Amino acid sequence: MWLSIGGLVASQYWAHFGNLPVDFTEGRHPLSYLKGFIFPTIITVAFLYGRRQVSNGRL
C-alpha cells in the first residue's frame, strides 16, 4: 500500500516539476500532493494501535 501511494505522489511531483502538459498541476502548491498520505497514515496508525492493544491483552 505504501509503495503504491508513494509512487502516486512521486509521479505527481514529476508532472508538477517536470513541466508536463497536464491540467491537474495548474495553480497547485507543491505541498498539496502530500494530502495523499493523510488517510493512509490515519488507517495505519489506528491499525497498529489496535494491534498493540490486542497483544497487551487489553481487548
Side-chain angles (χ1 to χ4, degrees):
M1 175 181 78
W2 283 104
L3 288 176
S4 300
I5 295 166
L8 176 63
V9 171
S11 66
Q12 290 173 340
Y13 275 110
W14 175 50
H16 187 86
F17 292 114
N19 295 323
L20 296 177
V22 291
D23 292 334
F24 72 87
T25 61
E26 294 294 323
R28 291 191 69 179
H29 191 275
L31 293 178
S32 68
Y33 303 113
L34 296 177
K35 289 190 294 186
F37 286 118
I38 293 172
F39 284 122
T41 301
I42 292 170
I43 292 168
T44 301
V45 169
F47 175 77
L48 293 175
Y49 178 76
R51 192 171 188 186
R52 192 177 118 218
Q53 296 295 322
V54 170
S55 68
N56 287 338
R58 293 185 182 161
L59 286 177

